Amino acid sequence: MALPNIFSEKVASEVIGRINTLSPEDNPQWGKMNVSQMLAHCNVPYEMVFENKNPKPNPILKFIIQLMAKETVTGEKPYKRSTATAPAFKIQGDRDFEAEKSRLINYINKTRELGEAEFDGKESHSFGKLNIDQWNNMFYKHLDHHLGQFGR
């Protein structure tokens, strides 16, 4: 696994430390989301795993998503700045900074506590069954990308 392991206590703590340096006044270095929207956006992958908030794509759409986005999302290559966002990940309106921050930290901790074994072969909302490396890459890369968007 070339990307840092978000399932490890060390990496999860480092990411949470980066989140804790954010403030509601922070401005993005690129993109359209404010910091509260970014935190809400980073919660979406965890909502898809732990909650029934977002509808699953129909089989045809899921197949298309797998073809077009699976490698980009679950691979090791970093995201490009201002990459197009899937509709379920678009955050509109104001969000409560502290609430979104707290939710994200709780999701990261829950994921770490459940551990790699819980995710190995687990079905993804949009990509089918993923292995540990793919889950790790999806979680870590997304967080790292957006924390970098805010200079963290």
Side-chain angles (χ1 to χ4, degrees), residues 33-34 36-38 40 90-96 100:
M33 290 185 286
N34 66 38
S36 298
Q37 290 170 326
M38 178 274 289
K90 291 185 178 180
I91 305 299
Q92 304 295 324
D94 294 334
R95 296 300 176 110
D96 181 298
E100 296 299 339

Side-chain angles (χ1 to χ4, degrees), residues 16 22 35 37-38 41 46 53 57 63-64 77-78 86 106 110 112 114-115 118 131 134-135 140-141 149:
I16 290 169
L22 292 167
V35 68
Q37 290 170 326
M38 178 274 289
H41 169 88
Y46 295 101
K53 277 183 105 167
F63 177 75
I64 293 168
K77 188 176 176 182
N106 288 337
K110 182 175 183 174
R112 182 192 51 77
L114 288 171
E118 176 73 19
N131 64 37
Q134 290 169 318
W135 278 109
Y140 180 83
K141 181 168 69 169
Q149 179 183 12

Side-chain angles (χ1 to χ4, degrees), residues 100-115:
E100 296 299 339
K101 181 174 128 180
S102 178
R103 280 188 341 119
L104 184 55
I105 290 170
N106 288 337
Y107 281 137
I108 293 167
N109 281 326
K110 182 175 183 174
T111 301
R112 182 192 51 77
E113 288 166 7
L114 288 171

Side-chain angles (χ1 to χ4, degrees), residues 1-60:
M1 187 176 340
L3 293 179
N5 184 355
I6 195 70
F7 295 105
S8 76
E9 187 170 344
K10 178 180 184 273
V11 174
S13 293
E14 288 171 358
V15 170
I16 290 169
R18 291 166 65 190
I19 292 167
N20 280 325
T21 66
L22 292 167
S23 77
E25 295 77 32
D26 287 337
N27 292 308
Q29 296 177 356
W30 74 85
K32 298 175 184 175
M33 290 185 286
N34 66 38
V35 68
S36 298
Q37 290 170 326
M38 178 274 289
L39 291 168
H41 169 88
C42 286
N43 279 314
V44 174
Y46 295 101
E47 291 170 355
M48 289 179 170
V49 172
F50 297 121
E51 298 179 28
N52 194 17
K53 277 183 105 167
N54 300 294
K56 293 182 179 180
N58 68 51
I60 294 169

